[in-house]
Structures are given as C-alpha cells and as structure tokens.
C-alpha cells in the first residue's frame, strides 16, 4: 500500500469524528460548555443576601425549608432571562415558590425589569459580587435549581426555563400534595 | 549594527514591560506565603466561561469574581488544598488544570497513546 494515503485516511477519520461531534452539538445532545453540577443530592449552600426590593430584609436559603422551591439566577444583562420571564410568571401564578438571585446587576435596572415585566419571585436576593453565585457553583445565567423540602438540591437546569424542561425535570416534585 | 542594537533594545523593553505587568496585582497580602499560594491557585484554576484560560489570564467577569473569592479565602487563612476543594465541590474537577487521577482522566489520557503510535508510524 502506498504510504502517501495514510495522511488521507487519518484526515478522513478525524473529519468524520468532528462531523459526528458537530452534529451532536447541533441537535443539542452535547454541549461542550456544559459542566455537570456537583450539587445534585447535596444541601443548598446557606446563602444570605440583601433583598433587592427591601434593604432592611435579608434573603436566606434557610427561610425556605419545609416545601420544595425553585431558585432562579438571573440578571437584566442576560437575554435568556428575559425570554424565560413570562414562563416564570406563569409558574408563580400556579403557586410555585420561586426565589430569585439577581446576579452582577445594577439594582435600579433589576427593579425596573421586575416593575415592567412583573415579579415572579417570592423574594429576590441581590448578588452583585457573585458571593452566593460562586457558592452555588453557577457560571452562567439563567440557571434554575429545585430544592426539596429538606433543603437538598434535586435538579439544576442551565438555560431558560420552558414547558418541556418543566415537564421533564421539575413537575414531578410539585405533584405530591 | 545600529539596527541590531535597535532590535535588541526593543526586545529588552518588551521583556521589562511584560515583567512589570506580571508583578502587578490588585490585591495586597499579609504574608509572602499567602501571595505565593494565591498566584499558584489562579494559575491552576480554569476560567469556566472561556474554558481554555486560567483565571489569572482571563478578564471575564466570573474569572475576576473567582480571583476575588480565592483572594478572600487565602487571606482568611485557608490552605491551597482547602481552596481547591472548595472550587471542585462547586465546579467539578473541570475547574482544575491538573485534575486528580480518576477513571475518566486515566482513560482520556490513555486515548492519546494510539495517536502517538500513529504519529510515530507516519
């Protein structure tokens, strides 16, 4: 066999491999930027943040023990957060408790977004310096955690919340009476 | 000859300026050991937004926040291992540029072997 075809064969194999991975990415089956969370099954970190809407109040993880709740990390700079906002409002209307963490944001901008679009959050913690966000292992927004009645993180979803994700990952935890 | 001197002085200036950038740090430390720990950690921790940069070199906002977190932990007397553990508990082994040996890292390293053989062969 001619030695000169070897590079060609290597090239074709590599090209095939790249195409395979690229297709997985395009179909959304594989995200190279996705970093698996280490937190599923562990207790939610005890964050303690100032309340975005009430400076005399604090927003603490400890206040929400006893029933499942959602923790949503958002910021006005994050386009996906605007997209998922209406759906969060709908979940809130269904009685799902959602706690917000407003991340690396201007308080004025954040308040005006809630005033303009409606406020789906029971409370919103204000975290301009990523204190709670790093504690939660978050590296992008939006992210939504589901925390059960014992304060254990059960689900984490990276990216905007929408009906399919809700049905597949979250809904079951809120079905029990 | 003149040209050579000009080039050499240019290189010299570039080296000095790079050096002065390297010395620059936004943080102040109580002890030199803490500063050394901090510098080592920010070299070792991967920026999660840009992914192929360490947080020392990255200007991404998350990297800056992670540097500040590292600084706060160093100053509060945490050891390097404790800080690395804190980061991996949150962001996984991915955050470390030199992950510990595990099944995944062992086999992904092993995967290099056939490519190496092939390279020799060619």
């Amino acid at each position: 066999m001619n030695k000169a075809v070897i590079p060609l064969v290597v090239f074709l194999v590599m090209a095939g491999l790249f195409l395979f991975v690229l297709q997985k990415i395009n179909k959304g089956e594989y995200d190279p930027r996705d970093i698996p969370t280490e937190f599923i099954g562990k207790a939610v970190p005890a964050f303690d943040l100032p309340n975005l809407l009430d400076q005399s109040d604090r927003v603490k993880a400890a206040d929400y023990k006893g029933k499942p709740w959602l923790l949503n990390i958002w910021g006005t700079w994050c386009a996906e957060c605007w997209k998922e906002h209406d759906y969060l409002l709908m979940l809130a209307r269904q009685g799902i408790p959602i706690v917000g963490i407003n991340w690396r944001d201007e308080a004025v901008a954040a308040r005006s977004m809630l005033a303009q679009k409606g406020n789906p959050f029971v409370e919103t913690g204000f975290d301009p310096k990523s204190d709670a966000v790093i504690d939660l292992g978050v590296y992008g927004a939006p992210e939504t955690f589901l925390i059960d009645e014992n304060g254990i993180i059960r689900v984490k979803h990276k990216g905007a919340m929408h009906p399919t994700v809700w049905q597949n990952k979250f809904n079951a935890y809120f079905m029990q009476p | 000859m003149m040209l050579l001197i000009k080039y050499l002085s240019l290189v010299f200036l570039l080296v000095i300026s790079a050096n002065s950038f390297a010395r620059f740090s936004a943080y102040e430390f109580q002890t030199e050991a803490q500063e050394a720990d901090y510098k080592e950690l920010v070299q070792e921790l991967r920026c999660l937004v840009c992914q192929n940069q360490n947080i020392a070199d990255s200007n991404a906002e998350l990297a800056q926040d992670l540097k500040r977190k590292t600084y706060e932990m160093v100053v509060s007397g945490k050891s390097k291992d404790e800080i690395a553990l804190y980061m991996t508990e949150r962001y996984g082994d991915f955050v470390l540029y030199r992950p510990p040996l595990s099944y995944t890292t062992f086999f992904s390293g092993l995967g290099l072997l056939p490519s190496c053989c092939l390279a020799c062969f060619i």
Side-chain angles (χ1 to χ4, degrees):
Chain A
M1 197 170 80
N2 195 341
K3 233 185 166 186
V5 299
I6 294 173
L8 185 68
V9 171
V10 172
F11 168 77
L12 288 176
V13 169
M14 296 294 273
L17 204 66
F18 289 153
L19 194 70
F20 174 72
V21 175
L22 205 63
Q23 270 175 346
K24 284 225 161 225
I25 294 174
N26 284 344
K27 277 190 226 154
E29 287 168 11
Y30 171 69
D31 180 3
R33 302 185 138 259
D34 203 14
I35 301 163
T37 184
E38 301 289 311
F39 270 115
I40 305 299
K42 290 192 190 159
V44 63
F47 61 81
D48 181 352
L49 293 168
N51 189 325
L52 176 70
L53 301 176
D54 176 4
Q55 294 195 326
S56 60
D57 187 34
R58 307 285 299 180
V59 180
K60 298 177 196 164
D63 293 345
Y64 291 92
K65 274 204 168 155
K67 56 180 177 182
W69 52 287
L70 298 184
L71 180 63
N72 178 264
I73 285 88
W74 64 284
T76 53
W77 45 267
C78 133
E80 291 289 309
C81 302
W82 288 82
K83 276 194 211 159
E84 70 170 1
H85 202 85
D86 289 332
Y87 191 67
L88 293 183
L89 282 167
M90 207 204 77
L91 290 174
R93 275 197 299 273
Q94 290 175 7
I96 310 286
I98 311 175
V99 178
I101 289 184
N102 176 253
W103 180 24
R104 207 194 287 135
D105 214 344
E106 300 281 336
V108 178
R111 286 191 205 110
S112 85
M113 175 173 165
L114 293 183
Q116 186 193 329
K117 291 206 60 151
N119 183 358
F121 305 114
V122 192
E123 277 188 307
T124 304
F126 183 56
D127 191 11
K129 298 271 185 205
S130 309
D131 293 319
V133 162
I134 291 177
D135 244 6
L136 284 157
V138 167
Y139 60 97
E143 280 192 27
T144 306
F145 293 87
L146 187 153
I147 296 134
D148 75 5
E149 62 276 15
N150 301 316
I152 308 293
I153 295 177
R154 291 296 171 197
V155 183
K156 174 178 144 168
H157 174 67
K158 184 168 107 29
M161 181 63 78
H162 52 82
T164 323
V165 173
W166 178 259
Q167 283 302 329
N168 291 345
K169 293 192 188 171
F170 289 86
N171 195 30
Y173 290 90
F174 293 94
M175 295 302 278
Q176 301 109 329
Chain B
M1 191 60 198
M2 274 306 286
L3 202 64
L4 184 70
I5 291 173
K6 267 189 189 166
Y7 272 121
L8 280 177
S9 51
L10 181 67
V11 168
F12 178 68
L13 284 173
L14 283 172
V15 168
I16 298 193
S17 61
N19 213 7
S20 57
F21 270 114
R23 294 269 161 84
F24 175 77
S25 169
Y27 297 122
E28 286 183 12
F29 296 86
Q30 291 145 0
T31 66
E32 281 185 15
Q34 283 186 352
E35 189 166 359
D37 278 359
Y38 170 79
K39 282 189 174 157
E40 205 166 314
L41 278 164
V42 293
Q43 296 283 343
E44 289 286 313
L45 291 171
R46 188 193 299 265
C47 167
L48 295 134
V49 189
C50 17
Q51 296 205 346
N52 276 325
Q53 250 184 338
N54 58 24
I55 61 171
D57 292 339
S58 172
N59 277 321
E61 285 169 295
L62 184 64
Q64 290 176 13
D65 290 340
L66 285 172
K67 274 186 271 193
R68 194 176 47 82
K69 185 80 199 177
T70 310
Y71 168 74
E72 285 168 4
M73 291 181 83
V74 167
V75 170
S76 73
K78 294 266 194 306
S79 78
K80 257 185 350 203
D81 287 347
E82 281 173 316
I83 298 170
L85 184 70
Y86 173 89
M87 292 297 176
T88 42
E89 274 176 356
R90 278 151 188 83
Y91 293 107
D93 284 345
F94 182 79
V95 79
L96 300 177
Y97 261 109
R98 289 188 299 182
L101 190 63
S102 69
Y103 280 115
T104 343
T105 53
F106 180 73
F107 284 108
S108 57
L110 208 65
L112 284 175
L113 214 62
S115 341
C116 287
C117 297
L118 199 68
C120 294
F121 180 62
I122 292 170

